[in-house]
Amino acid sequence: MKTIAVYTLRQTLRSKSMIAGLGVSLLYLAALPLFSATGGGTVTVGSAGQGTTAAAQFLGYALGGLNLIGMFMALFLTLGSIHTDIENGTMAMIITKPLSRARIITGRWAGYAALMTGYVLIIGLVLWLAVVLGTGEPFLGYIPALALVCLNVTTMMTLTFAVSVFLPAAANAVLVFLVFIATTNLSLINVAGAAAGETAETIIGNLFRLMLPVGVVGDQLHSLVVNSPGQTPAFLVPGNLFVAYEVIYIAALLQLGVRAFKRKDLK
Amino acid sequence: MEAAIEIEGLTKTFGHGPDAIASVDHLSLRVDKGEIFGFLGPNGAGKTTTVKMLAGIIFPTSGAARLLGKPLGDVATRARIGFMPETVRLSTFMRAEDWLGFHARLYGMDAGRSRARVKEVMARTGLAGRAGSRVRDFSQGMMQRIILAQAIINEPDLLFLDEPASALDPLGRRDLREIITGLRDRGTTIFLNSHLLSEVELVCGRVGILNHGKLIRVDKLGDITGPVQVVDVKAEGISSETAAAIRRLAAKVEFGLDGRFTATLDSEEQLGKLAEIITRGGGALKEFSPRRISLEDAFLEEIGEDGSS
Ligand SMILES: Nc1ncnc2c1ncn2[C@@H]1O[C@H](COP(=O)(O)OP(=O)(O)OP(=O)(O)O)[C@@H](O)[C@H]1O
Ligand SMILES: [Mg+2]
């Protein structure tokens, strides 16, 4: 299983999508300081109050961007994984080795998970270190927020990865992208619901979030970093329950992929 | 003799309802340990489908099979099996030795053993100088060599080869034959899918012919190609009496130029008699070449020349 995971890491690291994704990420990192320069906030060393708030807002904003870029990178890196391996005959040679089908899929998933988590952690920690060193403030709320971004990116990766057992790359991209858009938009029903004091609408909106539970964490990042949960409207708070749901969502998708793969005729 | 492969009513149907076709239709077959078995059949006969079921790549619709005494799907047994699929174009960025090392590790070898085996199989398959080349840049024949290399890297007890020679040059075919006979000498059972009949003739002990998913004949190669019946002869000084005696002996004789003729006999024993008639009559034998019915002829006869038996 480790062999498969390492193989996945190495193959993905050399793929053109990975190189493109890293390029965009670096551009993003390079352009971020423009915000702190123009956003009215002064990230000054050792200053409290205004400067600290601005730095926290900057971190929250930057992390939101990393969340989105990471999710789309996860989508593009994994959208062809299993299906392509089956089509080009690589899987036939792997499957005939003394390794169960479940382990092959889990190993491959673990490789992608390690890669995406590593990517988010490295960029996220670089951001954090830059701000912490600049302000002298620890911004401890950022750490759980970064962990949530890792979770989000893994969720997106697992969805695309599991679908790649069934669908070719292009169909996978269409499906996951549309689910993402639909979920994000439909879940806004709860904003309207809360504004109108309609419990039913709030609940329906939140139910839509369950289809692809990445939006809630996204909403939550900012308040976690600024460390003032009170600023976030109550209906947006994910809470531990929602995080637990996201973890179960990942496990269930992976299980689905494994089960489908176990019964699948390959090429 | 212990069986390496036992197949019982193996069937694979693709499609559903009225469109369903059985690509492999109630196949039953037994291959003993240490045998080299040639699996022949025209395009679309179901050879690849059969091997894919045995290798665990696709699942049978019905029927069962045992490999090395264990039912299909037994993961541990796969450590003793090698599988070379029909040649594909590999698109991996990996270098040849890393790619083979990956397959060695999948077989559970440790780093040291894997390195040693990679070196060995690269030499065996004629890729020794290409360890550092990227697999994706390989030529078709080199692709086929490296796919063969991953199948023998574990020194398998049972080896499946699906059209292993289709892209190989003459040197590659010789290497392949040497690999096959080398493995047989250490007791490996080999199941060889091929329509390159001359390849099969050179190495296989027993042959099965598949057509439209059904096994239509299984026999020793010698029994399929039959006994020697035709002989090409060149002799000097054949008198008209001798020629008449030859005509009486053979079922059919065709005389050519320079004392050449081809005789068709009823049995192998008549070969000696024919030579005797010529020398007794004062003729001098210059050439005497008995001919077997080629596997190709036998094959075409079995499947019907139009492939529609
Ligand atoms: N995945 C599939 N879906 C539908 N039909 C299939 C599939 N795989 C194989 N077949 C059909 O099964 C039949 C047997 O195919 P198979 O590849 O086993 O033939 P083969 O004997 O290996 O032929 P060749 O000598 O050309 O390699 C063919 O008619 C083929 O079209
Ligand atoms: Mg075939």
Side-chain angles (χ1 to χ4, degrees):
Chain A
M1 203 170 109
K2 193 182 131 222
T3 310
I4 298 266
V6 171
Y7 162 78
T8 303
L9 254 173
R10 287 179 58 172
Q11 287 285 95
T12 316
L13 276 173
R14 305 206 52 168
S15 70
K16 297 215 165 68
S17 327
M18 184 73 202
I19 293 163
L22 284 181
V24 170
S25 311
L26 289 178
L27 266 178
Y28 174 68
L29 272 183
L32 270 178
L34 291 177
F35 276 102
S36 51
T38 58
T42 38
V43 186
T44 42
V45 183
S47 70
Q50 181 67 32
T52 309
T53 314
Q57 301 230 330
F58 166 74
L59 267 185
Y61 192 76
L63 201 56
L66 180 61
N67 184 39
L68 209 60
I69 293 181
M71 281 196 295
F72 278 94
M73 215 159 126
L75 175 119
F76 285 114
L77 288 182
T78 55
L79 53 83
S81 55
I82 299 300
H83 201 272
T84 309
D85 274 4
I86 294 174
E87 285 299 311
N88 69 21
T90 312
M91 195 54 92
M93 279 179 270
I94 295 178
I95 213 107
T96 45
K97 303 293 187 287
L99 197 70
S100 72
R101 287 189 175 212
R103 276 167 175 258
I104 291 171
I105 291 293
T106 318
R108 231 142 142 56
W109 177 85
Y112 285 119
L115 180 77
M116 290 319 301
T117 312
Y119 161 84
V120 170
L121 283 182
I122 288 171
I123 295 194
L125 290 178
V126 164
L127 267 170
W128 181 63
L129 273 180
V131 174
V132 169
L133 291 178
T135 60
E137 288 281 328
F139 293 111
L140 288 179
Y142 180 84
I143 300 301
L146 186 60
L148 286 180
V149 173
C150 287
L151 184 67
N152 256 1
V153 170
T154 307
T155 302
M156 193 71 165
M157 180 279 283
T158 310
L159 175 63
T160 327
F161 177 77
V163 174
S164 86
V165 174
F166 303 88
L167 296 182
N172 190 349
V174 169
L175 180 81
V176 174
F177 186 72
L178 291 183
V179 166
F180 177 77
I181 299 289
T183 311
T184 333
N185 276 283
L186 288 173
S187 62
L188 291 179
I189 292 173
N190 68 5
V191 180
E198 293 276 354
T199 327
E201 279 187 26
T202 312
I203 291 173
I204 289 171
N206 279 330
L207 280 180
F208 276 117
R209 303 202 145 202
L210 299 180
M211 278 172 23
L212 178 54
V214 292
V216 180
V217 170
D219 297 338
Q220 187 68 356
L221 288 179
H222 200 261
S223 61
L224 265 172
V225 176
V226 179
N227 210 7
S228 50
Q231 287 181 353
T232 310
F235 58 84
L236 282 179
V237 177
N240 295 336
L241 204 61
F242 216 100
V243 172
Y245 173 76
E246 199 166 340
V247 172
I248 292 168
Y249 184 88
I250 290 174
L253 276 179
L254 184 60
Q255 223 5 261
L256 182 77
V258 166
R259 292 209 174 182
F261 188 68
K262 269 186 172 169
R263 276 189 254 119
K264 196 174 173 72
D265 275 353
L266 310 181
K267 271 186 77 173
Chain B
M1 199 64 187
E2 254 180 290
I5 306 174
E6 297 155 278
I7 305 175
E8 230 1 275
L10 205 62
T11 300
K12 181 68 184 180
T13 310
F14 290 110
H16 300 283
D19 296 335
I21 41 156
S23 294
V24 175
D25 198 355
H26 295 90
L27 175 70
S28 296
L29 177 67
R30 180 193 150 102
V31 176
D32 285 332
K33 281 195 176 151
E35 252 194 289
I36 302 185
F37 187 83
F39 203 44
L40 308 181
N43 293 136
K47 306 181 293 294
T48 298
T49 306
T50 304
V51 172
K52 278 184 182 166
M53 282 191 277
L54 297 179
I57 295 167
I58 60 178
F59 297 100
T61 311
S62 63
R66 295 173 80 81
L67 303 179
L68 303 171
K70 294 279 162 37
L72 288 186
D74 186 79
V75 170
T77 315
R78 294 196 185 136
R80 298 165 58 202
I81 296 177
F83 170 68
M84 177 189 185
E86 282 181 302
T87 297
V88 289
R89 277 219 70 84
L90 299 167
S91 57
T92 173
F93 290 101
M94 285 169 123
R95 296 175 327 138
E97 60 180 351
D98 295 337
W99 189 82
L100 284 174
F102 166 60
H103 285 277
R105 301 303 291 269
L106 287 179
Y107 271 122
M109 293 177 212
D110 61 30
R113 170 128 183 87
S114 140
R115 251 195 311 280
R117 283 301 295 161
V118 167
K119 236 179 147 167
E120 232 169 286
V121 294
M122 290 204 91
R124 285 292 289 273
T125 53
L127 291 171
R130 307 303 297 252
S133 307
R134 282 205 200 164
V135 175
R136 62 181 303 150
D137 299 332
F138 271 13
S139 74
Q140 197 68 28
M142 286 160 64
M143 247 359 136
Q144 196 153 29
R145 286 162 187 258
I146 199 169
I147 291 172
L148 169 65
Q150 65 78 33
I152 58 172
I153 202 158
N154 60 332
E155 301 185 283
D157 293 331
L158 172 59
L159 176 63
F160 292 100
L161 301 171
D162 197 354
E163 307 288 356
S166 58
L168 295 181
D169 60 18
L171 205 64
R173 285 181 194 198
R174 200 195 59 196
D175 287 349
L176 174 69
R177 272 197 303 276
E178 280 172 6
I179 288 171
I180 290 178
T181 48
L183 284 170
R184 179 199 52 200
D185 292 346
R186 60 169 290 280
T188 302
T189 310
I190 297 168
F191 192 93
L192 171 66
N193 268 10
S194 186
H195 39 220
L196 285 173
L197 301 170
S198 54
E199 293 298 321
V200 172
E201 273 181 299
L202 286 170
V203 294
C204 290
R206 221 155 51 99
V207 167
I209 298 178
L210 193 72
N211 199 19
H212 300 301
K214 288 199 169 74
L215 195 61
I216 53 178
R217 186 154 180 206
V218 191
D219 240 324
K220 287 212 186 78
L221 188 65
D223 291 344
I224 285 193
T225 52
V228 174
Q229 286 178 322
V230 179
V231 58
D232 295 313
V233 183
K234 184 182 176 191
E236 279 170 8
I238 292 184
S239 62
S240 50
E241 290 91 73
T242 311
I246 293 169
R247 281 210 172 85
R248 275 196 300 278
L249 174 78
K252 196 176 133 202
V253 191
E254 286 171 44
F255 284 97
L257 300 171
D258 317 329
R260 286 179 191 280
F261 65 90
T262 300
T264 306
L265 308 170
D266 290 328
S267 72
E268 221 160 352
E269 289 76 56
Q270 292 185 332
L271 277 175
K273 250 186 212 151
L274 177 64
E276 207 180 301
I277 290 172
I278 295 169
T279 42
R280 282 256 177 90
L285 269 181
K286 296 292 174 191
E287 279 173 34
F288 195 82
S289 330
R291 238 200 265 162
R292 283 181 181 279
I293 298 179
S294 72
L295 182 55
E296 186 169 308
D297 292 336
F299 174 79
L300 289 174
E301 193 178 309
E302 287 293 341
I303 64 168
E305 301 248 355
D306 56 353
S308 64
S309 83

